[in-house]
Amino acid sequence: MTAASELPSWAALGVAILVVAGTTMTLLGSIGLLRFRTFYERLHPPTLGSSSGTMLVVLASILYFSVVRSRPSIHEILILIFMTLTTPVTFILLARAALYRDRTEGNSDVPSDPLQGPADPSA
Amino acid sequence: MIARLLPYPALAAVLFVVWMFLAQSVSPGQILLGTAVAVAASGLMVSLRPKRTKVASWSKALVLGWIVLVDILRSNLTVAWIIASNPKTRISSFIQFDLALRSEAGLTILALIITATPGTAWVQFDRASGSLVIHVFDLVDEDEWIDLVRTRYEALLIEIFEP
Amino acid sequence: MSAQVLSWALLVAQLMLGLGMICAAVRMIIGPRAQDRVLSLDSLYVSAMLMLLVFGIQTGRTLYFESALVIALLGFTSTLALAKFLMRGEVIE
């Protein structure tokens, strides 16, 4: 804990609040992943960790290193940009894979394929 | 000459900026290396032949970016609250509706927006009919969600990519 | 005083991330389907990456940033490959 003692108190408090808030969001996302019943419901909670969780922890890291080195340290923003761009891509593919598998096995609780099934076109 | 050396100037610029961020220095050597990487990598993109997309209005793109940022933060709080309180009455289900948007870039960005926002996930899209299936975590009113996607994102994306 | 608050906050943050990783690991073990396991693997990756960022703040070293970036990159690629495999590899034989 040597590095933390060099920080002015406003920065230390700011970093503390940002880190705890970010990890709380991530923990809530993981709890949701464990808790909900169907796969499609479980698809939503992990986005908490990859959007606001990552955002808050990255902001904490930027604040901490900028104050400690007394020059702007913004390269952590790369992680944030990367996570916000890639997580949706993986989730879209996973949702499509899950839908495909459910349809192949004939599960009735997923919507039928609009290309083949008799789904009503007005919906 | 410039067009042959830099077929995708925006991509080259982004690669250069990312390189400078990673190197964390602005020494002449790093600038030279970053330029070399940017030119070489963006030159390789030519063999992939991506379709060129024109952005009609950058100011509207900025507006959309701001709307999306606010929506992501707001729905983060909503979903966090739902997970913490876990109300028994919550219904989550698929909804299906048609989109008017057809441009590839617009559809890609719409898919990213809808999935990146906690609470909604893009599940399937059929390009021929324009019919879209999304999954909504906390469905209260189906028409409200359809209206949200159409007026809040789709309308702006059409103005940005299909003027 | 504020340095003490920060070190406690970092400890709490690490505990919460660890708990989140346990939740994701339990979901990965109980499944029930392969897509659930891939989804929890992705969630595990995100928690591990954030854990490294918190380590970086705790020790004051920028070394952890690079490993976090590598985990983020590898996590994306592997989840993408697994999702693609689920669509093509298992159901149709």
Side-chain angles (χ1 to χ4, degrees):
Chain A
M1 306 296 148
T2 48
S5 51
E6 301 160 15
L7 241 62
S9 59
W10 62 268
L13 286 178
V15 172
I17 291 170
L18 285 173
V19 161
V20 170
T23 47
T24 309
M25 292 304 266
T26 316
L27 177 60
L28 277 175
S30 299
I31 290 174
L33 176 73
L34 187 61
R35 195 176 196 178
F36 293 122
R37 289 181 305 276
T38 67
F39 172 77
Y40 299 100
E41 281 174 274
R42 290 196 283 265
L43 198 60
H44 299 289
T47 43
L48 285 184
S50 60
S51 57
S52 70
T54 312
M55 190 187 291
L56 291 166
V57 176
V58 162
L59 280 180
S61 179
I62 290 176
L63 178 63
Y64 176 81
F65 283 108
S66 300
V67 172
V68 163
R69 296 156 152 197
S70 53
R71 68 181 170 91
S73 153
I74 48 171
H75 61 277
E76 287 96 338
I77 207 106
L78 282 182
I79 289 188
L80 180 59
I81 295 171
F82 191 76
M83 288 303 287
T84 29
L85 284 183
T86 56
T87 312
V89 178
T90 52
F91 282 24
I92 290 168
L93 261 182
L94 258 182
R96 284 204 52 184
L99 190 69
Y100 175 78
R101 285 168 63 109
D102 280 342
R103 276 182 187 149
T104 320
E105 288 165 16
N107 289 354
S108 57
D109 48 356
V110 292
S112 58
D113 198 334
L115 287 177
Q116 296 158 3
D120 59 334
S122 62
Chain B
M1 180 60 198
I2 292 285
R4 268 188 58 196
L5 201 61
L6 278 179
Y8 301 100
L11 176 69
V14 169
L15 283 172
F16 179 74
V17 169
V18 168
W19 181 273
M20 293 323 277
F21 269 145
L22 280 176
Q24 292 183 62
S25 80
V26 280
S27 65
Q30 291 294 352
I31 291 178
L32 208 65
L33 253 176
T35 315
V37 168
V39 170
S42 65
L44 284 178
M45 274 295 279
V46 177
S47 58
L48 291 179
R49 296 177 212 284
K51 273 187 198 162
R52 283 190 180 272
T53 43
K54 274 223 156 54
V55 177
S57 153
W58 283 103
S59 60
K60 291 216 171 85
L62 278 180
V63 170
L64 181 70
W66 175 250
I67 288 177
V68 169
L69 184 68
V70 170
D71 281 3
I72 285 181
L73 290 179
R74 204 169 46 194
S75 53
N76 260 298
L77 291 177
T78 319
V79 172
W81 174 245
I82 291 173
I83 293 170
S85 61
N86 197 20
K88 289 277 174 287
T89 52
R90 181 182 55 83
I91 301 166
S92 68
S93 121
F94 296 94
I95 53 177
Q96 182 174 11
F97 56 99
D98 290 342
L99 287 181
L101 186 68
R102 281 294 177 278
S103 88
E104 267 179 39
L107 285 169
T108 311
I109 292 177
L110 186 63
L112 290 183
I113 291 172
I114 287 180
T115 315
T117 316
T120 48
W122 180 280
V123 177
Q124 191 187 29
F125 178 70
D126 177 39
R127 190 188 286 259
S129 62
S131 122
L132 169 70
V133 180
I134 67 175
H135 187 262
V136 179
F137 187 52
D138 182 25
L139 188 71
V140 180
D141 181 11
E142 197 174 314
D143 292 327
E144 200 180 310
W145 281 102
I146 297 176
D147 194 51
L148 181 104
V149 172
R150 283 207 179 126
T151 55
R152 212 165 159 82
Y153 307 127
E154 195 195 1
L156 262 175
L157 280 168
I158 288 178
E159 284 178 46
I160 292 171
F161 290 107
E162 303 169 1
Chain C
M1 172 60 198
S2 56
Q4 214 160 16
V5 170
L6 179 57
S7 65
W8 275 106
L10 290 174
L11 190 68
V12 169
Q14 283 165 351
L15 283 177
M16 287 202 287
L17 283 177
L19 212 60
M21 287 165 90
I22 290 174
C23 287
V26 169
R27 175 50 79 192
M28 191 161 18
I29 291 166
I30 62 177
R33 309 278 319 271
Q35 53 262 41
D36 292 297
R37 300 202 161 100
V38 177
L39 186 66
S40 12
L41 184 69
D42 192 75
S43 173
L44 203 63
Y45 268 126
V46 173
S47 299
M49 188 211 69
L50 292 181
M51 185 77 105
L52 281 176
L53 281 180
V54 174
F55 270 132
I57 298 177
Q58 196 179 33
T59 55
R61 291 180 186 204
T62 46
L63 185 73
Y64 288 101
F65 160 75
E66 261 117 75
S67 18
L69 198 63
V70 169
I71 286 198
L73 279 163
L74 286 183
F76 167 60
T77 325
S78 59
T79 316
L80 210 61
L82 284 168
K84 207 73 190 159
F85 173 72
L86 289 186
M87 216 163 353
R88 293 286 146 91
E90 202 181 286
V91 182
I92 301 175
E93 287 181 297

